Amino acid sequence: MWGKDSVDCEYPLWGLALVRMNLGRYRESESYYRRLLALQAREYGAQSAEVAQSLGELGDVLVEDGRLNEADPLYQQALKFKLADDNTTR
């Protein structure tokens, strides 16, 4: 399936989020990461390793934007998902 909700948009969304973060355009970066997270949750599962990775990266954006209180729970959630994923792959 092609279109804005296609898994084929995953890498371009990540790239746009990364570029916006590096430009200091944190709110735009956040928006792209949130779109990416919705796509990944739908495609891989809400607690997948892919979602964990993107949650951590979104946390990085929030830290850069000075929103530490918002970043902390994202990092905690990413760690929880990653540890759960590691336990199921062993």
Side-chain angles (χ1 to χ4, degrees):
M1 165 178 118
W2 284 90
K4 69 177 182 158
D5 294 328
S6 168
V7 72
D8 295 317
C9 293
E10 185 174 359
Y11 186 73
L13 283 170
W14 174 80
L16 288 165
L18 185 63
V19 167
R20 294 311 189 277
M21 184 179 89
N22 287 317
L23 289 171
R25 293 160 56 180
Y26 303 118
R27 299 292 174 151
E28 290 177 46
S29 179
E30 178 184 1
S31 177
Y32 283 116
Y33 270 119
R34 293 199 185 277
R35 282 180 56 192
L36 177 60
L37 281 163
L39 186 153
Q40 289 173 325
R42 191 173 51 255
E43 188 66 27
Y44 306 113
Q47 297 183 9
S48 66
E50 292 84 1
V51 167
Q53 178 70 31
S54 294
L55 281 170
E57 292 172 4
L58 176 55
D60 293 344
V61 170
L62 297 177
V63 166
E64 289 295 319
D65 197 30
R67 297 157 60 195
L68 304 178
N69 289 335
E70 294 176 59
D72 184 72
L74 295 179
Y75 287 132
Q76 290 182 36
Q77 191 175 20
L79 179 61
K80 177 183 169 186
F81 294 168
K82 184 64 178 148
L83 291 173
D85 185 62
D86 285 349
N87 289 332
T88 61
T89 57
R90 290 184 182 185

Coordinates of all heavy atoms in Angstrom, one line a residue:
M1 N 0.8 -1.2 0.0 CA 0.0 0.0 0.0 C 0.9 1.2 0.0 O 1.8 1.4 0.8 CB -0.9 0.0 1.3 CG -1.6 1.2 1.6 SD -2.6 1.1 3.0 CE -1.8 2.3 4.1
W2 N 0.7 2.1 -0.9 CA 1.4 3.4 -1.0 C 0.5 4.5 -0.4 O -0.7 4.4 -0.4 CB 1.8 3.7 -2.4 CG 3.0 2.9 -2.9 CD1 2.9 1.7 -3.5 CD2 4.3 3.2 -2.7 NE1 4.2 1.2 -3.7 CE2 5.1 2.1 -3.3 CE3 5.0 4.3 -2.2 CZ2 6.4 2.1 -3.3 CZ3 6.4 4.2 -2.2 CH2 7.1 3.2 -2.7
G3 N 1.1 5.5 0.0 CA 0.4 6.7 0.5 C 1.0 7.1 1.8 O 2.0 6.6 2.3
K4 N 0.4 8.1 2.4 CA 1.0 8.7 3.6 C 1.1 7.8 4.8 O 1.8 8.0 5.7 CB 0.3 10.0 4.0 CG -1.1 9.8 4.5 CD -1.8 11.1 4.9 CE -3.2 10.8 5.5 NZ -3.7 11.8 6.3
D5 N 0.3 6.7 4.8 CA 0.3 5.8 5.9 C 1.0 4.5 5.6 O 0.9 3.5 6.3 CB -1.2 5.5 6.3 CG -1.9 6.7 6.9 OD1 -1.2 7.5 7.6 OD2 -3.1 6.8 6.7
S6 N 1.7 4.5 4.5 CA 2.4 3.3 4.1 C 3.7 3.1 4.8 O 4.4 4.1 5.2 CB 2.7 3.4 2.6 OG 3.6 2.4 2.2
V7 N 4.0 1.8 5.1 CA 5.3 1.5 5.8 C 6.5 2.0 4.9 O 7.6 2.3 5.4 CB 5.4 0.0 6.1 CG1 5.6 -0.8 4.9 CG2 6.5 -0.2 7.1
D8 N 6.3 2.2 3.6 CA 7.3 2.7 2.8 C 7.7 4.2 3.1 O 8.7 4.7 2.7 CB 6.9 2.7 1.3 CG 6.7 1.2 0.8 OD1 7.6 0.4 1.2 OD2 5.7 0.9 0.2
C9 N 6.9 4.8 3.9 CA 7.1 6.2 4.3 C 8.0 6.2 5.6 O 8.4 7.3 6.0 CB 5.8 6.9 4.6 SG 4.9 7.2 3.1
E10 N 8.3 5.1 6.2 CA 9.0 5.0 7.5 C 10.4 5.7 7.4 O 10.6 6.6 8.2 CB 9.2 3.6 7.9 CG 9.8 3.4 9.2 CD 9.8 1.9 9.6 OE1 9.3 1.0 8.9 OE2 10.3 1.7 10.7
Y11 N 11.2 5.4 6.4 CA 12.5 6.0 6.4 C 12.5 7.5 6.0 O 13.2 8.3 6.7 CB 13.4 5.2 5.4 CG 14.8 5.7 5.4 CD1 15.7 5.4 6.4 CD2 15.3 6.5 4.3 CE1 17.0 5.9 6.4 CE2 16.6 7.0 4.3 CZ 17.4 6.7 5.4 OH 18.7 7.2 5.4
P12 N 11.6 7.9 5.1 CA 11.6 9.3 4.8 C 11.0 10.1 6.0 O 11.5 11.2 6.3 CB 10.6 9.5 3.6 CG 10.7 8.2 2.9 CD 10.9 7.1 4.0
L13 N 10.1 9.6 6.8 CA 9.6 10.3 8.0 C 10.7 10.4 9.0 O 10.9 11.5 9.6 CB 8.4 9.5 8.6 CG 7.1 9.7 7.9 CD1 6.1 8.7 8.5 CD2 6.6 11.1 8.0
W14 N 11.5 9.4 9.2 CA 12.6 9.4 10.1 C 13.6 10.4 9.7 O 14.1 11.2 10.5 CB 13.3 8.0 10.2 CG 14.5 8.0 11.0 CD1 14.6 8.0 12.4 CD2 15.8 8.1 10.5 NE1 15.9 8.0 12.8 CE2 16.7 8.1 11.6 CE3 16.4 8.1 9.3 CZ2 18.1 8.1 11.5 CZ3 17.8 8.2 9.1 CH2 18.6 8.2 10.3
G15 N 13.9 10.5 8.4 CA 14.9 11.4 7.8 C 14.4 12.9 8.0 O 15.2 13.7 8.4
L16 N 13.2 13.1 7.8 CA 12.6 14.5 8.0 C 12.7 14.9 9.4 O 13.0 16.0 9.8 CB 11.2 14.6 7.4 CG 11.1 14.5 5.9 CD1 9.6 14.3 5.5 CD2 11.6 15.8 5.3
A17 N 12.3 13.9 10.3 CA 12.4 14.2 11.7 C 13.8 14.6 12.2 O 14.0 15.5 12.9 CB 11.8 13.0 12.5
L18 N 14.8 13.8 11.7 CA 16.2 14.0 12.0 C 16.7 15.4 11.5 O 17.3 16.1 12.3 CB 17.0 12.9 11.5 CG 18.5 12.9 11.9 CD1 18.6 12.7 13.4 CD2 19.2 11.7 11.1
V19 N 16.4 15.7 10.3 CA 16.8 16.9 9.7 C 16.2 18.1 10.5 O 16.9 19.1 10.9 CB 16.4 17.0 8.2 CG1 16.6 18.5 7.7 CG2 17.3 16.1 7.4
R20 N 14.9 18.0 10.8 CA 14.3 19.1 11.5 C 14.9 19.3 12.9 O 15.1 20.4 13.4 CB 12.8 18.9 11.7 CG 12.0 18.9 10.4 CD 12.2 20.1 9.5 NE 11.4 20.3 8.4 CZ 11.5 19.7 7.2 NH1 12.4 18.8 7.0 NH2 10.6 19.9 6.3
M21 N 15.2 18.2 13.6 CA 15.9 18.3 14.9 C 17.2 19.0 14.7 O 17.5 19.9 15.5 CB 16.1 16.9 15.5 CG 16.6 17.0 16.9 SD 16.9 15.4 17.7 CE 18.6 15.0 17.2
N22 N 18.0 18.6 13.8 CA 19.3 19.2 13.6 C 19.3 20.6 13.2 O 20.2 21.4 13.4 CB 20.1 18.4 12.6 CG 20.6 17.1 13.2 OD1 21.0 17.0 14.3 ND2 20.5 16.0 12.4
L23 N 18.1 21.1 12.6 CA 17.9 22.5 12.3 C 17.4 23.3 13.5 O 17.2 24.5 13.4 CB 17.0 22.6 11.1 CG 17.5 22.2 9.8 CD1 16.3 22.1 8.7 CD2 18.6 23.1 9.3
G24 N 17.1 22.6 14.6 CA 16.6 23.2 15.7 C 15.1 23.5 15.6 O 14.5 24.2 16.4
R25 N 14.4 22.8 14.7 CA 13.0 22.9 14.5 C 12.3 21.8 15.2 O 11.8 20.8 14.6 CB 12.7 23.0 13.0 CG 13.2 24.3 12.4 CD 13.4 24.3 11.0 NE 12.3 24.0 10.2 CZ 12.3 24.0 8.8 NH1 13.4 24.3 8.2 NH2 11.2 23.7 8.1
Y26 N 12.3 21.8 16.5 CA 11.9 20.7 17.4 C 10.5 20.3 17.3 O 10.1 19.1 17.3 CB 12.4 21.0 18.8 CG 13.8 21.3 19.0 CD1 14.3 22.5 19.4 CD2 14.8 20.3 18.6 CE1 15.6 22.8 19.6 CE2 16.1 20.6 18.7 CZ 16.5 21.8 19.2 OH 17.9 22.1 19.3
R27 N 9.6 21.3 17.2 CA 8.2 21.0 17.1 C 7.8 20.2 15.8 O 7.0 19.3 15.8 CB 7.3 22.3 17.2 CG 7.5 23.0 18.5 CD 6.9 22.2 19.7 NE 7.2 22.9 20.9 CZ 6.5 22.9 22.0 NH1 5.4 22.2 22.0 NH2 6.9 23.5 23.1
E28 N 8.5 20.6 14.7 CA 8.3 19.9 13.4 C 8.9 18.5 13.5 O 8.2 17.6 13.1 CB 9.0 20.7 12.3 CG 8.3 22.0 11.9 CD 9.1 22.7 10.8 OE1 9.5 22.1 9.8 OE2 9.3 23.9 11.0
S29 N 10.0 18.4 14.1 CA 10.6 17.1 14.3 C 9.7 16.2 15.1 O 9.5 15.0 14.8 CB 12.0 17.2 15.0 OG 12.6 16.0 15.2
E30 N 9.2 16.7 16.2 CA 8.3 16.0 17.0 C 7.1 15.5 16.2 O 6.7 14.3 16.4 CB 7.8 16.8 18.2 CG 6.8 16.2 19.1 CD 6.2 17.1 20.2 OE1 6.6 18.3 20.2 OE2 5.4 16.6 21.0
S31 N 6.5 16.3 15.4 CA 5.4 15.9 14.6 C 5.7 14.8 13.7 O 4.9 13.8 13.5 CB 4.9 17.1 13.8 OG 3.9 16.8 12.9
Y32 N 6.9 14.8 13.0 CA 7.3 13.7 12.2 C 7.5 12.4 13.0 O 7.1 11.3 12.5 CB 8.6 14.1 11.4 CG 8.3 15.0 10.2 CD1 8.8 16.2 10.2 CD2 7.5 14.6 9.1 CE1 8.6 17.1 9.1 CE2 7.2 15.4 8.1 CZ 7.8 16.7 8.0 OH 7.6 17.5 7.0
Y33 N 8.1 12.5 14.1 CA 8.3 11.3 14.9 C 7.0 10.7 15.4 O 6.8 9.5 15.4 CB 9.2 11.6 16.2 CG 10.7 11.4 15.9 CD1 11.6 12.5 16.0 CD2 11.2 10.2 15.5 CE1 12.9 12.3 15.7 CE2 12.5 10.0 15.3 CZ 13.4 11.1 15.4 OH 14.7 10.9 15.1
R34 N 6.0 11.6 15.7 CA 4.7 11.1 16.2 C 4.0 10.4 15.0 O 3.4 9.3 15.2 CB 3.9 12.2 16.8 CG 4.5 12.7 18.1 CD 3.5 13.4 19.0 NE 4.2 13.9 20.2 CZ 4.5 13.2 21.3 NH1 4.1 11.9 21.3 NH2 5.1 13.8 22.3
R35 N 4.1 10.9 13.8 CA 3.6 10.2 12.6 C 4.3 8.9 12.4 O 3.6 7.8 12.1 CB 3.7 11.0 11.4 CG 2.7 12.2 11.3 CD 2.9 13.0 10.0 NE 2.8 12.2 8.8 CZ 3.1 12.7 7.6 NH1 3.5 13.9 7.5 NH2 3.1 11.9 6.5
L36 N 5.6 8.9 12.6 CA 6.4 7.6 12.4 C 6.0 6.6 13.5 O 5.8 5.4 13.2 CB 7.9 8.0 12.5 CG 8.8 6.8 12.5 CD1 8.7 6.0 11.2 CD2 10.3 7.3 12.7
L37 N 5.8 7.1 14.7 CA 5.4 6.1 15.8 C 4.0 5.5 15.5 O 3.8 4.3 15.7 CB 5.4 6.9 17.1 CG 6.7 7.1 17.8 CD1 6.6 8.2 18.8 CD2 7.2 5.8 18.3
A38 N 3.1 6.3 15.0 CA 1.8 5.8 14.7 C 1.9 4.7 13.6 O 1.2 3.6 13.7 CB 0.8 6.9 14.3
L39 N 2.7 5.0 12.6 CA 2.8 4.0 11.5 C 3.5 2.8 12.0 O 3.1 1.6 11.7 CB 3.7 4.7 10.4 CG 3.9 3.9 9.1 CD1 4.2 4.9 8.0 CD2 5.1 3.0 9.2
Q40 N 4.6 2.9 12.8 CA 5.3 1.7 13.3 C 4.4 0.9 14.3 O 4.4 -0.3 14.2 CB 6.5 2.2 14.0 CG 7.6 2.7 13.1 CD 8.8 3.2 13.8 OE1 8.7 3.8 14.9 NE2 10.0 3.0 13.2
A41 N 3.6 1.6 15.1 CA 2.7 0.8 16.0 C 1.7 0.0 15.3 O 1.4 -1.1 15.6 CB 2.0 1.8 17.0
R42 N 1.2 0.6 14.2 CA 0.2 -0.1 13.4 C 0.9 -1.3 12.6 O 0.3 -2.4 12.5 CB -0.4 0.9 12.4 CG -1.6 0.4 11.6 CD -2.3 1.4 10.8 NE -1.4 2.2 9.9 CZ -0.9 3.4 10.2 NH1 -1.3 4.1 11.2 NH2 -0.1 4.0 9.3
E43 N 2.1 -1.1 12.1 CA 2.8 -2.1 11.3 C 3.4 -3.2 12.1 O 3.4 -4.3 11.7 CB 3.8 -1.4 10.4 CG 4.4 -2.3 9.4 CD 3.5 -2.7 8.3 OE1 2.5 -2.1 8.0 OE2 3.7 -3.8 7.7
Y44 N 4.1 -2.8 13.2 CA 4.9 -3.8 13.9 C 4.4 -4.1 15.3 O 4.9 -5.0 16.0 CB 6.3 -3.2 14.1 CG 7.0 -2.8 12.8 CD1 7.3 -1.4 12.6 CD2 7.3 -3.7 11.9 CE1 7.9 -1.0 11.4 CE2 7.9 -3.3 10.7 CZ 8.2 -2.0 10.5 OH 8.8 -1.6 9.3
G45 N 3.4 -3.3 15.8 CA 2.9 -3.5 17.2 C 3.4 -2.4 18.1 O 4.5 -1.9 17.9
A46 N 2.5 -2.0 19.0 CA 2.7 -0.8 19.8 C 3.9 -1.0 20.7 O 4.4 0.0 21.2 CB 1.5 -0.5 20.6
Q47 N 4.4 -2.2 21.0 CA 5.5 -2.4 21.9 C 6.7 -3.0 21.2 O 7.5 -3.7 21.8 CB 5.1 -3.2 23.1 CG 4.0 -2.6 23.9 CD 3.6 -3.3 25.2 OE1 4.2 -4.3 25.5 NE2 2.6 -2.9 25.8
S48 N 6.8 -2.8 19.9 CA 7.9 -3.3 19.1 C 9.2 -2.6 19.3 O 9.3 -1.5 19.8 CB 7.5 -3.3 17.6 OG 7.4 -1.9 17.2
A49 N 10.3 -3.3 18.9 CA 11.6 -2.7 18.9 C 11.7 -1.4 18.1 O 12.4 -0.5 18.5 CB 12.7 -3.7 18.5
E50 N 11.0 -1.4 17.0 CA 10.9 -0.2 16.1 C 10.3 1.0 16.9 O 10.8 2.1 16.8 CB 10.2 -0.5 14.8 CG 10.8 -1.5 13.9 CD 10.5 -3.0 14.2 OE1 9.8 -3.2 15.2 OE2 11.1 -3.8 13.5
V51 N 9.2 0.7 17.5 CA 8.6 1.8 18.3 C 9.5 2.2 19.4 O 9.6 3.4 19.7 CB 7.2 1.3 18.8 CG1 6.6 2.3 19.9 CG2 6.2 1.2 17.7
A52 N 10.2 1.3 20.1 CA 11.1 1.6 21.2 C 12.2 2.6 20.7 O 12.5 3.6 21.3 CB 11.7 0.4 21.8
Q53 N 12.7 2.3 19.5 CA 13.8 3.1 19.0 C 13.3 4.5 18.7 O 13.9 5.5 19.0 CB 14.3 2.5 17.7 CG 15.4 3.3 17.0 CD 16.7 3.3 17.7 OE1 17.0 2.3 18.4 NE2 17.4 4.4 17.6
S54 N 12.1 4.6 18.1 CA 11.6 5.9 17.7 C 11.2 6.7 19.0 O 11.3 7.9 19.0 CB 10.4 5.8 16.8 OG 10.8 5.3 15.5
L55 N 10.7 6.0 20.0 CA 10.3 6.7 21.3 C 11.6 7.3 21.9 O 11.6 8.5 22.3 CB 9.7 5.7 22.3 CG 8.3 5.3 22.1 CD1 7.9 4.2 23.0 CD2 7.4 6.5 22.4
G56 N 12.7 6.6 21.8 CA 14.0 7.1 22.3 C 14.4 8.4 21.5 O 14.9 9.4 22.1
E57 N 14.3 8.3 20.2 CA 14.7 9.4 19.4 C 13.8 10.6 19.6 O 14.2 11.8 19.6 CB 14.7 9.0 17.9 CG 15.8 8.0 17.7 CD 15.8 7.4 16.3 OE1 14.9 7.7 15.4 OE2 16.6 6.5 16.0
L58 N 12.5 10.4 19.8 CA 11.6 11.5 20.1 C 11.9 12.1 21.5 O 11.9 13.3 21.7 CB 10.1 11.0 20.1 CG 9.1 12.0 20.6 CD1 9.1 13.3 19.7 CD2 7.7 11.4 20.5
G59 N 12.3 11.2 22.4 CA 12.8 11.7 23.7 C 14.0 12.6 23.5 O 14.1 13.7 24.1
D60 N 14.9 12.3 22.6 CA 16.1 13.1 22.3 C 15.6 14.5 21.8 O 16.2 15.5 22.2 CB 17.0 12.5 21.2 CG 17.6 11.2 21.7 OD1 17.7 11.0 22.9 OD2 18.1 10.5 20.8
V61 N 14.6 14.6 20.9 CA 14.1 15.8 20.4 C 13.6 16.7 21.6 O 13.8 17.9 21.7 CB 13.0 15.6 19.4 CG1 12.3 16.9 19.0 CG2 13.6 14.9 18.1
L62 N 12.8 16.0 22.5 CA 12.2 16.8 23.6 C 13.3 17.3 24.5 O 13.2 18.4 25.1 CB 11.2 15.9 24.3 CG 10.0 15.5 23.5 CD1 9.1 14.5 24.3 CD2 9.2 16.6 23.0
V63 N 14.4 16.5 24.7 CA 15.5 17.0 25.5 C 16.1 18.2 24.9 O 16.4 19.2 25.6 CB 16.5 15.9 25.7 CG1 17.9 16.4 26.3 CG2 16.0 14.8 26.7
E64 N 16.4 18.1 23.6 CA 17.0 19.3 22.9 C 16.1 20.5 23.0 O 16.6 21.6 23.0 CB 17.2 18.9 21.4 CG 18.4 18.0 21.2 CD 19.7 18.5 21.6 OE1 20.0 19.7 21.4 OE2 20.5 17.7 22.3
D65 N 14.8 20.3 23.1 CA 13.8 21.4 23.2 C 13.6 21.9 24.6 O 12.8 22.7 24.9 CB 12.5 21.0 22.5 CG 11.6 22.1 22.2 OD1 12.1 23.3 21.9 OD2 10.3 21.9 22.3
G66 N 14.3 21.3 25.6 CA 14.2 21.6 27.0 C 13.0 21.1 27.7 O 12.7 21.5 28.8
R67 N 12.4 20.1 27.1 CA 11.2 19.5 27.7 C 11.5 18.1 28.3 O 11.0 17.1 28.0 CB 10.1 19.3 26.5 CG 9.7 20.7 26.0 CD 9.2 20.7 24.6 NE 8.0 19.8 24.5 CZ 7.5 19.5 23.3 NH1 8.1 19.8 22.2 NH2 6.5 18.7 23.2
L68 N 12.3 18.2 29.4 CA 12.9 17.0 30.0 C 11.8 16.2 30.7 O 11.8 15.0 30.7 CB 13.9 17.4 31.0 CG 15.1 18.3 30.5 CD1 16.0 18.6 31.6 CD2 15.8 17.5 29.4
N69 N 10.8 16.9 31.3 CA 9.7 16.2 31.9 C 8.9 15.3 31.0 O 8.3 14.3 31.4 CB 8.8 17.1 32.7 CG 9.5 17.7 34.0 OD1 10.4 17.0 34.5 ND2 9.1 18.8 34.4
E70 N 8.8 15.8 29.7 CA 8.1 15.0 28.7 C 9.0 13.9 28.1 O 8.5 12.9 27.7 CB 7.6 15.9 27.6 CG 6.6 16.9 28.0 CD 6.2 17.9 26.9 OE1 5.8 17.4 25.8 OE2 6.4 19.1 27.0
A71 N 10.3 14.1 28.1 CA 11.2 13.1 27.5 C 11.3 11.9 28.4 O 11.4 10.8 28.0 CB 12.5 13.7 27.3
D72 N 11.4 12.1 29.7 CA 11.7 11.0 30.7 C 10.7 9.8 30.5 O 11.2 8.7 30.4 CB 11.6 11.6 32.1 CG 12.0 10.5 33.1 OD1 13.2 10.1 33.2 OD2 11.1 10.0 33.8
P73 N 9.4 10.0 30.5 CA 8.5 8.9 30.3 C 8.7 8.1 29.0 O 8.5 6.9 28.9 CB 7.1 9.4 30.5 CG 7.2 10.9 30.5 CD 8.6 11.3 30.7
L74 N 9.1 8.9 28.0 CA 9.3 8.3 26.7 C 10.5 7.3 26.7 O 10.5 6.2 26.2 CB 9.5 9.3 25.6 CG 8.3 10.2 25.2 CD1 8.7 11.2 24.1 CD2 7.1 9.3 24.8
Y75 N 11.6 7.8 27.4 CA 12.8 6.9 27.6 C 12.4 5.7 28.4 O 12.9 4.6 28.1 CB 13.9 7.7 28.2 CG 14.6 8.7 27.4 CD1 14.8 10.0 27.9 CD2 15.0 8.4 26.1 CE1 15.5 11.0 27.1 CE2 15.7 9.4 25.3 CZ 15.9 10.6 25.8 OH 16.6 11.6 25.1
Q76 N 11.6 5.9 29.4 CA 11.2 4.7 30.3 C 10.4 3.7 29.5 O 10.6 2.5 29.6 CB 10.5 5.2 31.5 CG 11.3 6.0 32.5 CD 10.6 6.4 33.7 OE1 9.7 5.7 34.2 NE2 10.9 7.6 34.2
Q77 N 9.5 4.2 28.7 CA 8.7 3.4 27.9 C 9.5 2.6 26.8 O 9.4 1.4 26.6 CB 7.6 4.2 27.2 CG 6.5 3.4 26.5 CD 5.4 4.3 26.0 OE1 5.6 5.5 25.8 NE2 4.2 3.7 25.8
A78 N 10.5 3.3 26.2 CA 11.3 2.7 25.2 C 12.2 1.6 25.8 O 12.3 0.5 25.2 CB 12.2 3.8 24.6
L79 N 12.7 1.9 27.0 CA 13.5 0.8 27.7 C 12.6 -0.4 28.0 O 13.0 -1.5 27.8 CB 14.1 1.4 29.0 CG 14.9 0.4 29.8 CD1 16.1 -0.1 29.0 CD2 15.4 1.1 31.1
K80 N 11.4 -0.2 28.5 CA 10.5 -1.3 28.8 C 10.2 -2.1 27.6 O 10.3 -3.3 27.6 CB 9.2 -0.7 29.4 CG 8.1 -1.7 29.7 CD 6.9 -1.0 30.2 CE 5.7 -2.0 30.2 NZ 4.4 -1.3 30.5
F81 N 9.9 -1.5 26.5 CA 9.6 -2.2 25.2 C 10.9 -3.0 24.7 O 10.8 -4.1 24.3 CB 9.2 -1.3 24.1 CG 7.8 -0.6 24.4 CD1 7.4 0.4 23.6 CD2 7.0 -1.0 25.4 CE1 6.2 1.0 23.8 CE2 5.8 -0.4 25.7 CZ 5.4 0.6 24.9
K82 N 12.0 -2.3 24.8 CA 13.3 -2.9 24.4 C 13.6 -4.1 25.2 O 14.0 -5.2 24.7 CB 14.4 -1.9 24.4 CG 15.7 -2.4 23.8 CD 15.6 -2.7 22.4 CE 16.9 -3.2 21.8 NZ 16.8 -4.2 20.8
L83 N 13.5 -4.0 26.5 CA 13.8 -5.2 27.4 C 12.8 -6.3 27.1 O 13.2 -7.5 27.1 CB 13.7 -4.7 28.9 CG 14.9 -3.8 29.3 CD1 14.6 -3.3 30.7 CD2 16.2 -4.5 29.2
A84 N 11.6 -6.0 26.9 CA 10.6 -7.0 26.6 C 10.9 -7.7 25.3 O 10.8 -8.9 25.2 CB 9.2 -6.4 26.6
D85 N 11.3 -6.9 24.3 CA 11.6 -7.5 23.0 C 12.9 -8.4 23.1 O 12.9 -9.4 22.5 CB 11.9 -6.3 22.0 CG 12.2 -6.9 20.6 OD1 11.2 -7.5 20.0 OD2 13.3 -6.7 20.1
D86 N 13.9 -7.9 23.9 CA 15.1 -8.7 24.1 C 14.8 -10.1 24.7 O 15.3 -11.1 24.4 CB 16.1 -8.0 24.9 CG 16.8 -6.9 24.2 OD1 16.7 -6.8 22.9 OD2 17.5 -6.1 24.8
N87 N 13.8 -10.1 25.7 CA 13.5 -11.3 26.4 C 12.7 -12.3 25.5 O 12.8 -13.5 25.7 CB 12.6 -11.0 27.6 CG 13.5 -10.4 28.7 OD1 14.7 -10.6 28.8 ND2 12.8 -9.6 29.6
T88 N 12.0 -11.8 24.5 CA 11.2 -12.7 23.6 C 12.1 -13.2 22.5 O 11.8 -14.2 21.9 CB 10.0 -11.9 23.0 OG1 10.4 -10.8 22.2 CG2 9.0 -11.5 24.1
T89 N 13.2 -12.5 22.2 CA 14.1 -13.0 21.1 C 15.2 -14.0 21.6 O 15.9 -14.4 20.8 CB 14.7 -11.8 20.3 OG1 15.5 -11.0 21.3 CG2 13.7 -11.0 19.7
R90 N 15.3 -14.2 22.9 CA 16.3 -15.1 23.4 C 15.8 -16.5 23.6 O 14.7 -16.8 23.7 CB 16.8 -14.6 24.7 CG 17.6 -13.4 24.5 CD 18.2 -12.9 25.8 NE 19.0 -11.7 25.5 CZ 19.7 -11.1 26.4 NH1 19.8 -11.6 27.6 NH2 20.4 -10.0 26.1

